[in-house]
Amino acid sequence: MTATHRPLVEVKDLHVRFRGERNVHAVNGVDFALDRGEVLGILGESGSGKSVTLKALLRLLPEKRTVISGQIRVGNEDVLALEPEALADFRGKTASMIFQEPMLALDPVYTIGWQIAEAVERHEKCGRDAARQRALEMLERVRIPSPARRLDAYPHEMSGGMRQRAMIALALACKPQVLLADEPTTALDATVQIQILLLLRELQRELGMAAIFVTHDIGVAVEVSDRIAVMYAGRIVETGKVADIVRRPSHPYTRGLLASTVHGAMRGKRLDAIPGAPPSLNEAPSGCSFAPRCKEVLPECSQSLPQAVTVSPAHLSRCVRSTPVTA
Amino acid sequence: MVSLAEPVPLIIAPSRGYWASVGQRLLRDKVTMVCVVILLTIILAAIFAPYLGLADPYRGSIIRRLRPIGTPGYLLGTDEQGRDMLARLIYGGRLSLFIGLLPVFNAFVIGSLLGITAGFVGGKVNAAIMRTSDVFLAFPSVLLAVAISGALGAGILNSIVSLTIVFVPPIARIAESVTTQVRSLDFVDAARASGASSWTIIRVHILNNVLGPIFVYATSLISVSMILGAGLSFLGLGTKPPEPEWGLMLNTLRTAIYVQPWIAALPGAMIFMVSIGFNLVSDGLRSAMDVRR
């Protein structure tokens, strides 16, 4: 890496805390970087802070109840410092987002075409007709059958997969540089899932976008990502290229996750599950959050936060047992 | 490699607009349509009363008092001052419907404004608006209407003001709860994620999703408003005699209930018919508008 090289997205020491009757430390020091055209998969179970990280990138979290610290840079924008007007310009144009449940993420009282055109008009400052034309192109691009007709369809008139395609068309309408996808296939059935994933992957390559996929499905993460970051209790515990993570997982949590999939399990043999449940995040962790569930726990695990260890090139693990690659 | 199989294109029925499909459903709903026809007849008759060739609703006759229903020349008989009941009932609709509709309309505008603001802004603004409206909600509506009317003094305008005050809190409450619900739905986040400002979100996404339910609720208040308005007149706080108004007529005919019970019941029947009509239409509207999701 040269000194002039600057990744498209850079997140440094991101902390997100929700205030309220009790504090929730949802994200506790997340760092990652993303290059143009690269796809990062963030993998983790429910409540591991993956969706919160994603929403923080667009500052979609309720401002009054959240405390965000750290640094988020996308392109040339310091996201956390943007003024409301600049933030609105940034959202949708530089980075945009796909949501998990397409039925809820599309406004039920407007047609698909109207909703896409609205976003286009907002950012491209063009007329209604041009915006509608773009909406039609987008629907063609996401391969919705008879797109001209679907332009005037309401969300409830479409199937789940079709709605997610429309959602993708909406998110990509202004050609963002970064696409954030929050479990885009979780709400869909298996056959539609793979179609949507392939479509996303294809569009991402075609448009040269960077993308961040949040998912709890290892299969999905492996299918679409170049790199994977595994999150646990608000921290990235392991990150590396897909092949490294899958073949040489270093963190015990990653190994546990990989062992608990159905793929390749022997018939009649019980699946390996990780015992226990994720910790409550009412207080900021002082040691390794996974220690209480870890099979290979050491006394020093709960004493301090484990440092990131480079186990092989571009492969980091936050575990005291991980052995650094010998330089 | 899984091929990117295209979903088989289906023959899609041409998509109608949302309101067009609501209209279609309403047309198919027989009960609602019957009510709409009855209400329209009454409303139109009230509006065009002077052109219907009716008797003068103010001119009485000492010798023709309390004629029974069906008397030649007096289709629905005469009241205690010998005035034509049919004419008075139709002219009475003008004031009664006015008192039924105007306060609800006012309250719809004010209440939605307050409720949507409370729901969208949240926090202290929400607490201030909603707790104040809770104070009003604590009183039974009849009592509140009578108290405010009594304080303001008798008169049509004052009863409209007092009824508006009575209806603002419940509408604000509905508006607030629907807004809070809609605000937390993903499409608001999605709109925000595609660069919409708060104002655009309220104007475009919240308003259009929220107004439907509030509107349906408001239509159900029309009958309450009519009954309360009639009640105020009955108590002498609304319309003044000799103005024809159903509640007031009910009051003045009360003395004749042993002589001509059917005639005494007529204004009550009108109130009943119109309020039940509005209620059923409101029900029909609700189910017709519930097509999405």
Side-chain angles (χ1 to χ4, degrees):
Chain A
M1 259 188 220
T2 54
T4 51
H5 177 85
R6 208 159 159 241
L8 180 61
V9 180
E10 217 171 356
V11 174
K12 274 185 193 151
D13 199 30
L14 178 70
H15 288 257
V16 180
R17 182 163 60 88
F18 293 114
R19 281 183 311 197
E21 281 168 35
R22 50 196 192 101
N23 278 328
V24 178
H25 295 260
V27 176
N28 304 302
V30 159
D31 303 79
F32 63 84
L34 189 66
D35 280 326
R36 263 165 230 286
E38 193 185 21
V39 180
L40 174 71
I42 299 182
L43 190 61
E45 59 195 288
S46 310
S48 58
K50 50 196 192 327
S51 293
V52 175
T53 307
L54 208 59
K55 286 193 170 167
L57 280 173
L58 276 182
R59 266 176 58 195
L60 283 178
L61 299 163
E63 307 234 323
K64 280 180 207 145
R65 287 186 288 119
T66 7
V67 186
I68 306 180
S69 65
Q71 221 187 5
I72 300 175
R73 186 181 59 74
V74 179
N76 294 320
E77 318 276 10
D78 178 359
V79 178
L80 295 182
L82 286 176
E83 297 294 320
E85 188 63 20
L87 182 64
D89 283 339
F90 163 80
R91 291 167 172 164
K93 182 73 192 155
T94 311
S96 78
M97 189 154 173
I98 302 175
F99 291 80
Q100 179 175 348
E101 181 56 81
M103 185 73 249
L104 300 177
L106 293 165
D107 192 328
V109 298
Y110 295 101
T111 60
I112 301 296
W114 193 97
Q115 293 185 51
I116 299 175
E118 187 204 12
V120 174
E121 252 180 277
R122 160 77 182 78
H123 288 290
E124 315 272 312
K125 313 269 184 268
C126 62
R128 199 82 272 219
D129 290 340
R132 216 179 131 81
Q133 192 53 42
R134 171 74 73 78
L136 182 62
E137 281 165 32
M138 288 316 296
L139 290 191
E140 277 164 10
R141 206 151 204 175
V142 297
R143 297 205 197 82
I144 284 181
S146 40
R149 244 209 221 126
R150 289 297 181 189
L151 219 45
D152 293 317
Y154 286 86
H156 72 267
E157 295 171 320
M158 303 169 93
S159 68
M162 200 104 78
R163 269 182 230 137
Q164 194 58 297
R165 282 170 197 265
M167 184 75 229
I168 293 169
L170 175 60
L172 299 186
C174 297
K175 311 231 155 47
Q177 297 171 33
V178 189
L179 176 67
L180 309 174
D182 188 1
E183 310 209 19
T185 58
T186 309
L188 306 172
D189 59 44
T191 50
V192 182
Q193 273 188 12
I194 192 76
Q195 291 177 12
I196 296 287
L197 284 180
L198 291 171
L199 175 71
L200 275 172
R201 181 87 228 206
E202 198 181 298
L203 288 171
Q204 177 263 328
R205 286 201 184 123
E206 228 171 84
L207 301 171
M209 288 181 301
I212 302 179
F213 267 77
V214 155
T215 179
H216 57 246
D217 185 332
I218 300 174
V220 168
V222 169
E223 184 69 45
V224 296
S225 321
D226 301 314
R227 277 194 302 132
I228 288 182
V230 180
M231 274 190 88
Y232 186 77
R235 288 166 71 82
I236 292 181
V237 293
E238 184 166 2
T239 172
K241 293 201 193 77
V242 172
D244 286 338
I245 297 282
V246 175
R247 298 214 189 94
R248 290 183 294 277
S250 169
H251 198 283
Y253 178 64
T254 315
R255 287 207 293 272
L257 272 186
L258 289 169
S260 60
T261 54
V262 187
H263 303 282
M266 296 283 286
R267 190 187 168 82
K269 212 180 126 212
R270 281 188 78 88
L271 284 173
D272 282 322
I274 305 175
S280 85
L281 294 168
N282 294 351
E283 271 160 41
S286 55
C288 175
S289 304
F290 188 61
R293 297 169 77 185
C294 188
K295 284 178 197 159
E296 306 158 40
V297 66
L298 295 172
E300 57 263 45
C301 282
S302 47
Q303 277 158 17
S304 66
L305 289 172
Q307 291 304 304
V309 178
T310 310
V311 288
S312 63
H315 182 184
L316 299 175
S317 169
R318 282 179 187 275
C319 179
V320 289
R321 277 184 183 272
S322 297
T323 42
V325 64
T326 39
Chain B
M1 186 78 187
V2 181
S3 75
L4 238 174
E6 305 239 341
V8 186
L10 300 166
I11 318 286
I12 310 146
S15 170
R16 282 172 271 141
Y18 172 63
W19 289 107
S21 70
V22 169
Q24 288 269 333
R25 275 159 176 268
L26 274 179
L27 283 177
R28 258 179 273 139
D29 184 347
K30 288 203 188 76
V31 177
T32 308
M33 285 328 285
V34 168
C35 290
V36 166
V37 169
I38 292 175
L39 286 179
L40 275 182
T41 315
I42 293 174
I43 292 169
L44 289 177
I47 292 172
F48 296 107
Y51 308 105
L52 295 178
L54 295 163
D56 183 346
Y58 297 101
R59 209 178 66 208
S61 158
I62 306 288
I63 52 168
R64 278 191 284 269
R65 288 188 301 171
L66 292 172
R67 290 293 167 90
I69 294 171
T71 308
Y74 302 99
L75 196 58
L76 291 177
T78 57
D79 71 357
E80 79 287 354
Q81 296 190 32
R83 293 172 295 200
D84 183 42
M85 273 306 279
L86 179 66
R88 281 184 73 77
L89 284 175
I90 290 176
Y91 273 94
R94 298 183 134 193
L95 267 180
S96 289
L97 287 166
F98 189 63
I99 292 175
L101 292 171
L102 193 63
V104 173
F105 177 76
N106 290 343
F108 175 68
V109 175
I110 302 170
S112 315
L113 213 67
L114 287 173
I116 292 172
T117 313
F120 192 79
V121 180
K124 284 184 186 128
V125 177
N126 180 312
I129 295 176
M130 295 325 288
R131 292 300 83 77
T132 312
S133 83
D134 281 350
V135 171
F136 283 92
L137 280 172
F139 296 100
S141 52
V142 184
L143 206 62
L144 190 61
V146 170
I148 299 170
S149 272
L152 293 174
I156 299 170
L157 204 69
N158 284 347
S159 40
I160 285 173
V161 171
S162 77
L163 288 176
T164 304
I165 296 175
V166 169
F167 293 132
V168 166
I171 289 183
R173 154 144 298 192
I174 297 285
E176 189 256 0
S177 73
V178 181
T179 308
T180 336
Q181 244 171 54
V182 169
R183 190 179 69 139
S184 60
L185 290 178
D186 273 355
F187 65 77
V188 173
D189 266 353
R192 199 167 273 146
S194 64
S197 62
S198 285
W199 174 237
T200 313
I201 289 173
I202 295 188
R203 189 171 48 87
V204 174
H205 296 285
I206 304 261
L207 210 58
N208 276 292
N209 277 288
V210 158
L211 281 187
I214 306 177
F215 181 71
V216 169
Y217 179 69
T219 52
S220 77
L221 284 180
I222 294 174
S223 64
V224 182
S225 177
M226 282 199 43
I227 291 169
L228 282 182
L232 287 179
S233 300
F234 182 88
L235 293 172
L237 287 168
T239 333
K240 286 266 180 288
E243 221 56 55
E245 198 271 340
W246 295 337
L248 187 65
M249 287 162 72
L250 207 57
N251 185 10
T252 53
L253 279 167
R254 171 171 60 109
T255 48
I257 198 155
Y258 295 110
V259 191
Q260 286 290 356
W262 290 110
I263 288 190
L266 280 176
M270 290 303 285
I271 296 172
F272 172 75
M273 222 155 59
V274 173
S275 58
I276 215 165
F278 274 115
N279 272 346
L280 289 174
V281 169
S282 147
D283 276 359
L285 210 54
R286 183 177 51 222
S287 49
M289 282 170 75
D290 204 22
V291 282
R292 50 197 197 218
R293 261 173 253 213

